[in-house]
Amino acid sequence: MSAALACSGANPASGWLCIAGLGPGDDSLVTPAVSQALAEATDVLGYIPYVARVAARPGLRLHPSDNREELDRARHALALAAQGHRVVVVSSGDPGVFAMAAAVFEALEGRPDWQALDVRVLPGITAMLAAAARAGAPLGHDFCALNLSDNLKPWALIEKRLRAAVGADMAMAFYNPRSASRPDTFDQVLAVLRETCEPSRWLIFARAVSTPQEQLQCVSLSDARPQMADMRTLVIVGSSTTRCVGRFVYTPRSAS
């Protein structure tokens, strides 16, 4: 029995759905389990640029869709699996981190007929972890991840959680910091940080890590500018104990 089916003991003749993380960009960072699932899939669904990362082959149908069609995409994937297809829904990074796994389980609610399907989540390397590895060990102690997009939650909630994380003195990783449709959000985030943190606090701007377009900048809060971030950038903010050693940034494992 193949790796893609061995996890659940599913009947090879029946359909299944894998929600898979493609990692941050480099093909070498895709896990063997995800590669196996893609090799056995009949259908791959996902956001347009993520599906473009999957090589076409005979017998494989690719279903790219827009970024704001997550629930429709999830329902389509579940319907295909119910019809006996071998389906992979792809996300970048890890599918459980601000990605498609939650959307699929949301689509399962209220559909007992789909809840018996063979559905599995295959983890991937997140942009947060890839960026941290490039920088050194900025997440070496307690940390949290915040999605700065206000598509599914209001700015007031983002600010509340941001202030709570700063108050707890945790390192923070920011997903979706700035886009053309909301260019001012990251300005507001920096304003909160400057109000609540010391000017020497370290920020890491990691863009398109593990791809040919990779850029890495490490600056103090006083030198941070909104234009340093876009939608392909992962921003890490250190805690008050985060410091530099040579070209690396790290957060000590102990806290006073």
Side-chain angles (χ1 to χ4, degrees):
M1 184 176 290
S2 71
L5 293 171
C7 296
S8 64
N11 184 334
S14 65
W16 47 256
L17 170 60
C18 286
I19 314 158
L22 296 178
D26 192 302
D27 288 345
S28 68
L29 298 180
V30 179
T31 69
V34 170
S35 296
Q36 183 68 38
L38 289 170
E40 298 185 9
T42 59
D43 297 82
V44 172
L45 294 83
Y47 179 37
I48 296 164
Y50 306 154
V51 173
R53 292 177 56 185
V54 179
R57 58 171 170 77
L60 177 65
R61 292 175 290 275
L62 302 177
H63 306 267
S65 53
D66 187 70
N67 197 30
R68 297 196 182 189
E69 298 178 7
E70 289 92 345
L71 269 179
D72 287 341
R73 182 185 307 142
R75 294 185 185 107
H76 185 193
L78 288 161
L80 288 171
Q83 295 164 16
H85 295 246
R86 302 185 300 276
V87 183
V88 178
V89 175
V90 292
S91 296
S92 66
D94 181 278
V97 180
F98 307 128
M100 281 301 300
V104 170
F105 295 124
E106 185 177 347
L108 278 176
E109 290 190 86
R111 288 296 304 261
D113 54 325
W114 283 348
Q115 291 170 18
L117 289 170
D118 177 16
V119 177
R120 284 159 289 128
V121 181
L122 302 180
I125 297 172
T126 69
M128 173 180 66
L129 297 181
R134 281 288 194 267
L139 306 180
H141 205 281
D142 297 336
F143 65 90
C144 68
L146 297 174
N147 186 345
L148 300 186
S149 171
D150 59 3
N151 288 337
L152 297 175
K153 63 179 182 287
W155 161 252
L157 182 56
I158 296 172
E159 182 179 5
K160 178 181 178 181
R161 291 177 175 174
L162 172 61
R163 289 183 181 276
V166 172
D169 197 19
M170 291 190 290
M172 296 168 280
F174 297 154
Y175 282 76
N176 303 317
R178 189 168 180 266
S179 70
S181 62
R182 45 180 183 81
D184 299 328
T185 302
F186 195 55
D187 301 58
Q188 296 171 284
V189 168
L190 287 177
V192 172
L193 292 176
R194 289 182 173 125
E195 174 193 332
T196 54
C197 301
E198 67 281 1
S200 59
R201 185 72 62 102
W202 287 110
L203 273 73
I204 299 160
F205 292 84
R207 185 179 189 278
V209 170
S210 84
T211 77
Q213 294 77 42
E214 177 178 317
Q215 297 176 4
L216 195 71
Q217 298 182 76
C218 181
V219 301
S220 65
L221 176 57
S222 61
D223 292 330
R225 299 292 179 266
Q227 296 77 16
M228 294 178 176
D230 63 12
M231 283 295 284
R232 297 193 69 192
T233 305
L234 189 289
V235 181
I236 295 177
V237 181
S239 73
S240 65
T241 65
T242 301
R243 51 187 183 260
C244 278
V245 53
R247 68 180 186 278
F248 300 109
V249 179
Y250 86 104
T251 301
R253 294 173 298 143
S254 61
S256 57

